[in-house]
């Protein structure tokens, strides 16, 4: 199983870091050791002073596929979940400056929060309006919907599969909307997909 994450898939998020809006999807990967599930607490690593939350819709791949055409991409997933792509922003900023890969800032242990539940895509009236939000200590800090993604699920699956074969159980974290920010010890994070609470855990 692999985790593929999309960078800068919402215009407002690209702009908050003064980054160009991409012309094709940007992706990177996290290993399976990055998963954090079952509302387990997230421990801030001692090598970063700026861990950011990035709430993201997650697509679970249900068929093996390579070079998937966009028009067939909808056959490769049935379920949508919710996750957080925790990012060591201080480390990432240094790596970006040097033109180095992002793994240290993105792929570290427990950096990929994943909801226990996934929902059939058929319960959403259309892929263009799946709402989600992240609350910290009861206040909504990030809120968006899938219609604001620059590249939709089908485009992402088609693009990624040109380079990397997709397999059953692979997860695609589809990018974060604007208003990413730091988490601190003691914070309580709650993620919602539509009105359903998908996870609820503490930062320690
Ligand atoms: Mg992200």
């Amino acid at each position: 199983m692999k985790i593929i994450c999309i960078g800068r898939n919402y215009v407002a998020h690209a702009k908050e870091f003064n980054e160009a809006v991409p012309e094709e999807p940007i992706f990177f990967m996290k290993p399976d050791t990055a998963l954090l599930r079952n509302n387990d607490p997230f421990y801030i690593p001692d090598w970063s002073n700026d861990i950011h939350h990035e709430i993201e819709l997650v697509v679970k791949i249900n068929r093996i596929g390579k070079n998937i055409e966009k028009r067939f991409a909808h056959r490769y997933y049935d379920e949508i979940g919710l996750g957080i792509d925790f990012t060591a922003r201080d480390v990432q900023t240094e790596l970006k400056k040097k033109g180095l890969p992002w793994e240290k800032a993105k792929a570290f242990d427990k950096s990929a929060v994943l909801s226990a539940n996934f929902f059939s895509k058929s319960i959403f009236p259309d892929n263009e309006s799946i709402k989600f939000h992240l609350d910290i200590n009861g206040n909504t800090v990030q809120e968006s919907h899938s219609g604001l993604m620059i590249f939709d699920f089908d485009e992402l699956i088609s693009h990624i599969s040109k380079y990397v074969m997709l397999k059953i159980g692979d997860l695609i974290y589809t990018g974060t909307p604007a208003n990413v920010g730091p988490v601190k010890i003691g914070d309580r994070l709650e993620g919602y997909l539509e009105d359903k609470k998908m996870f609820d855990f503490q930062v320690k």
Side-chain angles (χ1 to χ4, degrees):
M1 189 281 273
K2 55 189 175 289
I3 301 167
I4 299 153
C5 302
I6 307 300
R8 284 178 231 159
N9 202 21
Y10 291 78
V11 172
H13 172 59
K15 291 196 166 157
E16 70 186 340
F17 288 113
N18 294 315
E19 302 276 13
V21 174
E23 288 171 12
E24 61 174 33
I26 297 168
F27 69 88
F28 56 92
M29 295 204 234
K30 297 188 189 233
D32 57 2
T33 42
L35 284 176
L36 179 66
R37 287 181 281 204
N38 306 316
N39 294 326
D40 286 346
F42 173 76
Y43 290 88
I44 293 182
D46 59 9
W47 44 262
S48 173
N49 294 310
D50 197 22
I51 299 286
H52 277 198
H53 54 78
E54 297 191 355
I55 187 87
E56 312 198 357
L57 293 171
V58 178
V59 170
K60 190 188 287 180
I61 296 297
N62 66 359
R63 292 174 64 180
I64 192 163
K66 171 83 183 156
N67 286 321
I68 301 163
E69 285 182 48
K70 189 186 167 189
R71 65 195 166 114
F72 297 129
H74 65 95
R75 298 180 184 174
Y76 288 79
Y77 67 101
D78 282 325
E79 293 183 310
I80 310 291
L82 193 68
I84 295 177
D85 163 23
F86 274 127
T87 303
R89 195 70 69 199
D90 45 357
V91 176
Q92 187 196 31
T93 301
E94 284 306 304
L95 294 169
K96 273 187 185 173
K97 268 190 218 160
K98 295 174 185 165
L100 292 171
W102 297 356
E103 268 77 0
K104 277 205 293 190
K106 286 286 198 181
F108 58 91
D109 293 343
K110 310 299 181 190
S111 62
V113 177
L114 185 64
S115 57
N117 291 326
F118 276 67
F119 289 98
S120 165
K121 66 183 180 187
S122 65
I123 72 165
F124 303 106
D126 74 74
N127 266 351
E128 296 294 299
S129 59
I130 303 171
K131 296 190 190 76
F132 60 103
H133 68 273
L134 174 66
D135 290 2
I136 299 185
N137 305 326
N139 301 310
T140 299
V141 292
Q142 286 190 275
E143 183 168 29
S144 196
H145 66 87
S146 55
L148 293 177
M149 295 193 304
I150 297 168
F151 304 105
D152 65 19
F153 300 146
D154 293 353
E155 288 172 294
L156 295 175
I157 287 169
S158 176
H159 182 81
I160 293 163
S161 71
K162 227 190 278 185
Y163 304 93
V164 179
M165 182 184 293
L166 292 173
K167 296 175 79 174
I168 294 168
D170 286 351
L171 300 169
I172 302 175
Y173 282 58
T174 58
T176 196
N179 300 319
V180 301
V183 296
K184 60 181 191 312
I185 291 171
D187 283 346
R188 177 184 181 186
L189 275 62
E190 296 164 277
Y192 291 84
L193 184 57
E194 300 287 348
D195 57 351
K196 298 169 186 69
K197 191 190 277 199
M198 303 296 282
F199 48 73
D200 181 348
F201 66 96
Q202 298 277 336
V203 176
K204 294 192 172 180

